[in-house]
Amino acid sequence: NQGAEGTIKKNLLIGNIEGAADCALKSGRPAEALLLALVADDESVYDRIKEEYFQMQKDPFVQTVLKRIVDEDEEQLVLESANKNWKEALAYCLSYSKENVDKLTEKLGDELQKKKDFNSAIVCFILSKNIQKVAHLWKQRADFLISKKPEIKEAVLLNFLEKFSYLWSASGIKEEITE
């Protein structure tokens, strides 16, 4: 591919980084195109080359996961991943969310709760420090168990209170529980 390399060199020799990046991308050299775009004076060159790169990709992993990470779109990354694998979505949330880990983890828990995956939702709500939602789900579970076997009411309520007390103590959160 001497022709493309020659064109890239000519563009670089005259200081036309954008032209060199465009040529590199069009000639199947995406790594070189992205590297050149990074050093362009105009930030929009990098953004444009990056978007063109992602549009050229056929691999769904590159089009979704890598694009979301590069674009710092943690919310979409977590919500899209939640449909396939909630643990992966949680790992992405904990790895890439800088300021809004609690909010995104809670959102993931809400998605799991909609899908009736209550145990997984509880894990997310605990990690998001949302004691209210954890208590609500535990209470629903206790009410369900009591409705099925009224004779175990005391044991179920004791179990609920123990779990809740441990969580309350471990979390250090002193919010008021309204339910």
Side-chain angles (χ1 to χ4, degrees):
N1 201 351
Q2 195 65 358
E5 188 173 306
T7 305
I8 293 169
K9 281 182 183 178
K10 285 178 186 172
N11 276 295
L12 290 174
L13 287 170
I14 61 170
N16 184 3
I17 298 219
E18 184 174 358
D22 283 331
C23 182
L25 189 64
K26 287 179 175 81
S27 63
R29 297 176 169 200
E32 290 89 337
L34 289 166
L35 288 170
L36 288 167
L38 272 174
V39 297
D41 290 334
D42 185 358
E43 254 184 61
S44 68
V45 172
Y46 174 73
D47 292 336
R48 183 178 58 76
I49 295 288
K50 178 184 71 172
E51 287 308 312
E52 287 180 32
Y53 167 78
F54 283 119
Q55 288 172 5
M56 292 169 50
Q57 296 305 306
K58 307 272 187 273
D59 184 346
F61 176 77
V62 173
Q63 289 178 333
T64 55
V65 174
L66 289 184
K67 183 171 184 354
R68 300 287 183 240
I69 290 170
V70 169
D71 289 345
E72 296 180 346
D73 190 356
E74 299 92 6
E75 186 168 344
Q76 275 308 115
L77 174 64
V78 169
L79 293 177
E80 287 172 359
S81 299
N83 292 325
K84 298 173 191 116
N85 182 335
W86 77 270
K87 291 177 185 175
E88 216 172 78
L90 180 60
Y92 287 136
C93 178
L94 296 173
S95 296
Y96 296 104
S97 295
K98 291 165 183 74
E99 289 106 35
N100 52 348
V101 174
D102 291 346
K103 183 183 117 198
L104 280 178
T105 308
E106 181 178 345
K107 238 180 193 177
L108 178 57
D110 290 337
E111 290 297 311
L112 292 165
Q113 187 175 1
K114 285 179 199 170
K115 294 177 182 179
K116 309 238 181 282
D117 186 352
F118 299 117
N119 288 333
S120 302
I122 287 170
V123 169
C124 291
F125 293 144
I126 289 172
L127 289 171
S128 71
K129 302 174 194 83
N130 191 321
I131 304 299
Q132 190 84 24
K133 288 185 177 183
V134 174
H136 174 74
L137 288 176
W138 279 345
K139 183 181 177 298
Q140 278 185 322
R141 182 176 288 155
D143 290 343
F144 174 77
L145 290 171
I146 292 167
S147 73
K148 294 293 178 192
K149 288 187 172 185
E151 67 274 10
I152 64 168
K153 180 178 181 176
E154 289 177 18
V156 169
L157 290 176
L158 180 62
N159 179 269
F160 170 75
L161 287 172
E162 283 177 350
K163 284 192 302 190
F164 187 76
S165 296
Y166 292 141
L167 178 62
W168 184 278
S169 297
S171 72
I173 297 172
K174 301 299 178 206
E175 68 183 55
E176 183 178 315
I177 302 300
T178 57
E179 195 175 308

mmCIF file of all heavy atoms in Angstrom, residues 19-37:
data_model
loop_
_atom_site.group_PDB
_atom_site.id
_atom_site.type_symbol
_atom_site.label_atom_id
_atom_site.label_comp_id
_atom_site.label_asym_id
_atom_site.label_seq_id
_atom_site.Cartn_x
_atom_site.Cartn_y
_atom_site.Cartn_z
ATOM 1 N N GLY A 19 -5.744 15.718 6.520
ATOM 2 C CA GLY A 19 -5.683 14.985 5.254
ATOM 3 C C GLY A 19 -4.981 13.645 5.415
ATOM 4 O O GLY A 19 -5.398 12.634 4.845
ATOM 5 N N ALA A 20 -3.907 13.624 6.200
ATOM 6 C CA ALA A 20 -3.177 12.379 6.443
ATOM 7 C C ALA A 20 -4.053 11.390 7.206
ATOM 8 O O ALA A 20 -4.078 10.193 6.890
ATOM 9 C CB ALA A 20 -1.895 12.668 7.227
ATOM 10 N N ALA A 21 -4.799 11.898 8.187
ATOM 11 C CA ALA A 21 -5.689 11.032 8.959
ATOM 12 C C ALA A 21 -6.799 10.474 8.076
ATOM 13 O O ALA A 21 -7.127 9.286 8.145
ATOM 14 C CB ALA A 21 -6.282 11.788 10.149
ATOM 15 N N ASP A 22 -7.384 11.330 7.241
ATOM 16 C CA ASP A 22 -8.434 10.867 6.315
ATOM 17 C C ASP A 22 -7.914 9.780 5.391
ATOM 18 O O ASP A 22 -8.563 8.758 5.189
ATOM 19 C CB ASP A 22 -8.967 12.041 5.481
ATOM 20 C CG ASP A 22 -9.917 12.937 6.254
ATOM 21 O OD1 ASP A 22 -10.594 12.436 7.174
ATOM 22 O OD2 ASP A 22 -9.983 14.144 5.935
ATOM 23 N N CYS A 23 -6.734 10.008 4.835
ATOM 24 C CA CYS A 23 -6.131 9.034 3.924
ATOM 25 C C CYS A 23 -5.851 7.713 4.645
ATOM 26 O O CYS A 23 -6.121 6.635 4.108
ATOM 27 C CB CYS A 23 -4.852 9.607 3.316
ATOM 28 S SG CYS A 23 -4.084 8.482 2.139
ATOM 29 N N ALA A 24 -5.324 7.804 5.841
ATOM 30 C CA ALA A 24 -5.026 6.595 6.617
ATOM 31 C C ALA A 24 -6.302 5.794 6.878
ATOM 32 O O ALA A 24 -6.320 4.574 6.713
ATOM 33 C CB ALA A 24 -4.338 6.962 7.929
ATOM 34 N N LEU A 25 -7.362 6.491 7.251
ATOM 35 C CA LEU A 25 -8.620 5.792 7.539
ATOM 36 C C LEU A 25 -9.183 5.139 6.280
ATOM 37 O O LEU A 25 -9.588 3.979 6.301
ATOM 38 C CB LEU A 25 -9.644 6.763 8.137
ATOM 39 C CG LEU A 25 -10.914 6.122 8.687
ATOM 40 C CD1 LEU A 25 -10.596 5.205 9.857
ATOM 41 C CD2 LEU A 25 -11.901 7.189 9.121
ATOM 42 N N LYS A 26 -9.168 5.874 5.178
ATOM 43 C CA LYS A 26 -9.725 5.347 3.924
ATOM 44 C C LYS A 26 -8.886 4.200 3.352
ATOM 45 O O LYS A 26 -9.397 3.380 2.602
ATOM 46 C CB LYS A 26 -9.857 6.471 2.913
ATOM 47 C CG LYS A 26 -11.004 7.417 3.241
ATOM 48 C CD LYS A 26 -11.121 8.550 2.245
ATOM 49 C CE LYS A 26 -12.323 9.416 2.506
ATOM 50 N NZ LYS A 26 -12.155 10.405 3.538
ATOM 51 N N SER A 27 -7.610 4.142 3.720
ATOM 52 C CA SER A 27 -6.758 3.071 3.189
ATOM 53 C C SER A 27 -6.626 1.891 4.160
ATOM 54 O O SER A 27 -5.731 1.069 4.015
ATOM 55 C CB SER A 27 -5.383 3.632 2.826
ATOM 56 O OG SER A 27 -4.726 4.123 3.964
ATOM 57 N N GLY A 28 -7.525 1.839 5.144
ATOM 58 C CA GLY A 28 -7.550 0.683 6.037
ATOM 59 C C GLY A 28 -6.526 0.726 7.152
ATOM 60 O O GLY A 28 -6.101 -0.316 7.653
ATOM 61 N N ARG A 29 -6.128 1.899 7.540
ATOM 62 C CA ARG A 29 -5.175 2.072 8.643
ATOM 63 C C ARG A 29 -5.824 2.885 9.767
ATOM 64 O O ARG A 29 -5.443 4.024 10.032
ATOM 65 C CB ARG A 29 -3.930 2.789 8.140
ATOM 66 C CG ARG A 29 -3.168 2.012 7.096
ATOM 67 C CD ARG A 29 -2.012 2.821 6.574
ATOM 68 N NE ARG A 29 -1.148 1.969 5.780
ATOM 69 C CZ ARG A 29 0.099 2.256 5.518
ATOM 70 N NH1 ARG A 29 0.650 3.348 6.003
ATOM 71 N NH2 ARG A 29 0.815 1.454 4.772
ATOM 72 N N PRO A 30 -6.799 2.292 10.437
ATOM 73 C CA PRO A 30 -7.541 3.057 11.440
ATOM 74 C C PRO A 30 -6.702 3.479 12.643
ATOM 75 O O PRO A 30 -6.920 4.565 13.185
ATOM 76 C CB PRO A 30 -8.669 2.115 11.854
ATOM 77 C CG PRO A 30 -8.194 0.755 11.484
ATOM 78 C CD PRO A 30 -7.304 0.933 10.291
ATOM 79 N N ALA A 31 -5.757 2.661 13.063
ATOM 80 C CA ALA A 31 -4.928 3.043 14.216
ATOM 81 C C ALA A 31 -4.125 4.295 13.886
ATOM 82 O O ALA A 31 -4.066 5.236 14.693
ATOM 83 C CB ALA A 31 -4.002 1.895 14.611
ATOM 84 N N GLU A 32 -3.528 4.316 12.694
ATOM 85 C CA GLU A 32 -2.747 5.493 12.290
ATOM 86 C C GLU A 32 -3.646 6.722 12.163
ATOM 87 O O GLU A 32 -3.283 7.827 12.573
ATOM 88 C CB GLU A 32 -2.034 5.238 10.950
ATOM 89 C CG GLU A 32 -0.903 4.242 11.040
ATOM 90 C CD GLU A 32 -1.349 2.788 10.814
ATOM 91 O OE1 GLU A 32 -2.545 2.454 11.010
ATOM 92 O OE2 GLU A 32 -0.478 1.983 10.462
ATOM 93 N N ALA A 33 -4.853 6.515 11.622
ATOM 94 C CA ALA A 33 -5.790 7.630 11.461
ATOM 95 C C ALA A 33 -6.156 8.229 12.815
ATOM 96 O O ALA A 33 -6.150 9.456 12.983
ATOM 97 C CB ALA A 33 -7.041 7.147 10.736
ATOM 98 N N LEU A 34 -6.446 7.366 13.781
ATOM 99 C CA LEU A 34 -6.826 7.862 15.104
ATOM 100 C C LEU A 34 -5.657 8.554 15.804
ATOM 101 O O LEU A 34 -5.831 9.584 16.462
ATOM 102 C CB LEU A 34 -7.373 6.717 15.961
ATOM 103 C CG LEU A 34 -8.751 6.211 15.528
ATOM 104 C CD1 LEU A 34 -9.071 4.873 16.191
ATOM 105 C CD2 LEU A 34 -9.835 7.234 15.850
ATOM 106 N N LEU A 35 -4.452 7.991 15.650
ATOM 107 C CA LEU A 35 -3.270 8.619 16.262
ATOM 108 C C LEU A 35 -3.009 9.998 15.654
ATOM 109 O O LEU A 35 -2.715 10.959 16.374
ATOM 110 C CB LEU A 35 -2.043 7.726 16.103
ATOM 111 C CG LEU A 35 -2.040 6.466 16.966
ATOM 112 C CD1 LEU A 35 -0.903 5.538 16.554
ATOM 113 C CD2 LEU A 35 -1.939 6.830 18.428
ATOM 114 N N LEU A 36 -3.111 10.087 14.350
ATOM 115 C CA LEU A 36 -2.912 11.380 13.692
ATOM 116 C C LEU A 36 -3.987 12.374 14.124
ATOM 117 O O LEU A 36 -3.694 13.547 14.398
ATOM 118 C CB LEU A 36 -2.907 11.217 12.173
ATOM 119 C CG LEU A 36 -1.675 10.536 11.594
ATOM 120 C CD1 LEU A 36 -1.905 10.150 10.140
ATOM 121 C CD2 LEU A 36 -0.450 11.443 11.727
ATOM 122 N N ALA A 37 -5.231 11.922 14.185
ATOM 123 C CA ALA A 37 -6.326 12.806 14.584
ATOM 124 C C ALA A 37 -6.141 13.327 16.004
ATOM 125 O O ALA A 37 -6.530 14.446 16.309
ATOM 126 C CB ALA A 37 -7.652 12.069 14.447
#
